Amino acid sequence: MAPANQDTALSPSDLVIFGGTGDLAARKILPALYYRLRDGQLPASSRVFILGRRPMERDAYLKRARKACERFVTEGDFSEKDWKRFASCLDYRAIDATKPAQYDALKKTLSRDPRPVRVFYLATSAELFGPISAALKEKRMITEGTRVVLEKPIGHDLASFRATNRAVLDSFREGQIYRIDHYLGKETVQNLMVLRFGNHLFEKIWNGDVIDHVQITVAEEIGVGERFAYYDSYGALRDMVQNHLLQLLCLVAMEAPPYITPDAVRDEKLKVLHSLRPMSAADVATHTVRGQYRGYRDDIGGGRSDTETFVALKTHIDNWRWSGTPFYLRTGKRLAERYSEIVIQFKPIPHNIFPHMKTFPETNKLIIRLQPDETVKLEVNTKVPGPGGYRLKPVQLSMSLAEEFGERIPDAYERLLMDVVRGNPTLFMRSDEVEAAWEWTEYLLTGWKKSGMKSRPYAAGGWGPKEAAQLLARDGLRWYEQR
């Protein structure tokens, strides 16, 4: 069945942000809504209710919200006129989300001149997803046009995900639940499907016959910061690999869906997750690396924590397209540079016709930079100009989204929030998809526990523990940025 038009005008909406005074709301949600209202996509009659535990007058909250927008909206994009329009949509309510009796005033307000679409955004810990959902159901605040947005990670392991998911499904239908992963809202990530399935050139060579291996890196310069309490109980595997990196892997490896429709895309991603090779404890010992940056224990206030701030791993997808092709994933904090990137390394040429060259330049690779600058580069070998025979050098054919389209690229949260309002779940994770990701992640968690693998120390500002480089060196390879 062909997809419906996904560019239809949005309906006026009520957006209710639980945990609305937190860091995520200040850094991402408020600026995203500011831009969408400024650009005329979010109808001006929409209302945004910010919920927090602390009693606060509306004017006091607006001062706080303005500071957040002035800080996180790109310099030059913030204006008094646009702020006043946005502020007119904002309201603040103090509420203890664990106490259903405190929902009555909010229900009364929402019921007065209700908007066609009602969005509950749960920017809280996953432990509150079930209780909030139950309270909304008890108070009959879930309408036909209601959606609920859940932030990652959902659960701490497979069992806790299942329990949390069941609790939310007791109140909402699956089609009303939007499990958000902001990486899927990035333009370059979406462009990956266009690159693959909109260009005959790439799709015909997108397999293990031509591709040697794939590298996926999500690197951060910052440490744990104010998230130390949360982070120390989760670590890099749960915080980044189980969701962000596995989602990127799915988009690289999936088969073409019949159409870009919600279930068709998610069906193909689910097949990839089911094809990921399970790891035994012995596999985990040789195919994964745990690391912790020096100074982490000071950042969390001392103690003997072994929580990993770095993970590198090698995995395989056991299907016809990718059999025998390794996928290398890594992520970490306090690394040398902040960036997210996918590198598709193609196999060497089968025969060198330039016998005077003892070593042939490395062969083609496709480099997809997700952040901070969204670019796609194809590296090819070319002749260095001049007489004296053939001298070859790798050069990059580059496409920068900013340079090509010459306009501001909306943030991922802008796209995803509008998709929620529009009712398009294509870029959100389905229940069975998240469960499959947790099932595979459990192999690593169990293997680390059984083998007693400790986090290897690494210097802040480097590229992780030396074992991460050795993971590829055993296969005669190196991480891309080290070349």
Side-chain angles (χ1 to χ4, degrees), residues 434-467:
V434 183
E435 182 162 358
W438 270 120
E439 286 175 344
W440 185 81
T441 304
E442 285 273 290
Y443 290 113
L444 277 66
L445 292 169
T446 302
W448 284 352
K449 185 176 181 179
K450 285 184 176 180
S451 65
M453 182 186 289
K454 301 296 182 183
S455 291
R456 304 285 187 175
Y458 64 94
W463 285 111
K466 66 180 186 301
E467 289 81 3

Side-chain angles (χ1 to χ4, degrees), residues 298-317:
D298 294 332
D299 287 353
I300 64 170
R304 300 173 60 85
S305 173
D306 189 52
T307 297
E308 78 283 352
T309 61
F310 178 96
V311 175
L313 63 91
K314 172 185 176 181
T315 189
H316 287 84
I317 298 170

Side-chain angles (χ1 to χ4, degrees), residues 165-238:
N165 198 49
R166 282 195 300 269
V168 176
L169 285 169
D170 282 343
S171 301
F172 292 93
R173 301 189 311 273
E174 175 66 32
Q176 295 177 300
I177 303 171
Y178 290 70
R179 301 172 186 86
I180 192 168
D181 184 333
H182 71 273
Y183 266 66
L184 297 183
K186 293 182 181 295
E187 284 294 334
T188 323
V189 173
Q190 297 169 58
N191 202 37
L192 179 57
M193 285 197 284
V194 177
L195 192 73
R196 286 192 57 192
F197 305 128
N199 294 281
H200 195 68
L201 166 69
F202 287 116
E203 181 52 23
K204 284 298 180 182
I205 61 172
W206 206 270
N207 55 67
D209 293 336
V210 183
I211 293 174
D212 181 79
H213 70 275
V214 176
Q215 297 182 21
I216 301 176
T217 296
V218 177
E220 299 178 276
E221 288 182 303
I222 61 172
V224 294
E226 296 180 357
R227 299 174 70 227
F228 65 88
Y230 153 80
Y231 196 90
D232 195 53
S233 63
Y234 277 78
L237 180 63
R238 294 178 174 92

Side-chain angles (χ1 to χ4, degrees), residues 21 24 40 76 107 116 120 122 132 167 181 254 259 261 296 324 412 420 448 481:
T21 57
L24 177 67
K107 178 184 178 181
F120 294 108
L122 309 193
I132 291 173
D181 184 333
M254 64 185 274
Y259 295 101
T261 54
Y296 170 78
V420 174
W448 284 352
E481 98 292 328

Side-chain angles (χ1 to χ4, degrees), residues 139-424:
K139 294 298 179 178
R140 298 183 179 180
M141 297 170 68
I142 303 173
T143 65
E144 189 61 32
T146 292
R147 303 74 146 112
V148 62
V149 182
L150 308 181
E151 272 288 341
K152 66 88 185 172
I154 305 174
H156 188 265
D157 52 20
L158 180 60
S160 59
F161 163 73
R162 285 173 170 165
T164 300
N165 198 49
R166 282 195 300 269
V168 176
L169 285 169
D170 282 343
S171 301
F172 292 93
R173 301 189 311 273
E174 175 66 32
Q176 295 177 300
I177 303 171
Y178 290 70
R179 301 172 186 86
I180 192 168
D181 184 333
H182 71 273
Y183 266 66
L184 297 183
K186 293 182 181 295
E187 284 294 334
T188 323
V189 173
Q190 297 169 58
N191 202 37
L192 179 57
M193 285 197 284
V194 177
L195 192 73
R196 286 192 57 192
F197 305 128
N199 294 281
H200 195 68
L201 166 69
F202 287 116
E203 181 52 23
K204 284 298 180 182
I205 61 172
W206 206 270
N207 55 67
D209 293 336
V210 183
I211 293 174
D212 181 79
H213 70 275
V214 176
Q215 297 182 21
I216 301 176
T217 296
V218 177
E220 299 178 276
E221 288 182 303
I222 61 172
V224 294
E226 296 180 357
R227 299 174 70 227
F228 65 88
Y230 153 80
Y231 196 90
D232 195 53
S233 63
Y234 277 78
L237 180 63
R238 294 178 174 92
D239 186 53
M240 297 295 290
V241 176
Q242 184 271 335
N243 38 77
H244 293 333
L245 274 77
L246 287 187
Q247 284 295 309
L248 295 180
L249 181 148
C250 285
L251 291 175
V252 170
M254 64 185 274
E255 298 295 325
Y259 295 101
I260 300 296
T261 54
D263 281 333
V265 171
R266 295 185 291 183
D267 284 347
E268 297 303 332
K269 289 198 293 176
L270 182 63
K271 292 175 186 177
V272 174
L273 292 168
H274 284 162
S275 299
L276 276 173
R277 184 181 299 174
M279 288 197 197
S280 66
D283 293 330
V284 169
T286 57
H287 287 58
T288 70
V289 177
R290 299 181 74 211
Q292 184 186 95
Y293 66 82
R294 292 190 178 94
Y296 170 78
R297 295 179 186 181
D298 294 332
D299 287 353
I300 64 170
R304 300 173 60 85
S305 173
D306 189 52
T307 297
E308 78 283 352
T309 61
F310 178 96
V311 175
L313 63 91
K314 172 185 176 181
T315 189
H316 287 84
I317 298 170
D318 290 331
N319 61 21
W320 276 41
R321 182 182 290 263
W322 297 111
S323 180
T325 304
F327 286 73
Y328 300 94
L329 282 59
R330 65 171 172 172
T331 185
K333 291 188 174 294
R334 296 301 302 273
L335 299 180
E337 184 183 351
R338 172 185 172 266
Y339 73 93
S340 300
E341 192 169 74
I342 301 167
V343 179
I344 311 296
Q345 177 67 63
F346 295 95
K347 289 184 176 180
I349 59 170
H351 173 64
N352 179 13
I353 68 169
F354 307 100
H356 65 286
M357 300 181 64
K358 294 182 180 179
T359 59
F360 195 83
E362 288 189 352
T363 49
N364 314 120
K365 60 177 68 67
L366 186 67
I367 305 154
I368 304 166
R369 177 65 69 100
L370 311 177
Q371 64 178 22
D373 49 335
E374 298 181 303
T375 57
V376 179
K377 298 178 181 179
L378 178 62
E379 189 169 293
V380 298
N381 289 318
T382 189
K383 178 184 178 294
V384 177
Y390 286 91
R391 289 174 295 144
L392 273 61
K393 179 183 178 181
V395 297
Q396 292 182 341
L397 310 177
S398 178
M399 181 197 73
S400 165
L401 293 186
E403 292 177 6
E404 178 67 25
F405 296 102
E407 58 189 32
R408 175 185 172 270
I409 298 175
D411 181 78
Y413 274 90
E414 296 176 51
R415 168 64 184 266
L416 294 174
L417 280 168
M418 295 305 96
D419 277 357
V420 174
V421 174
R422 186 175 283 113
N424 177 15

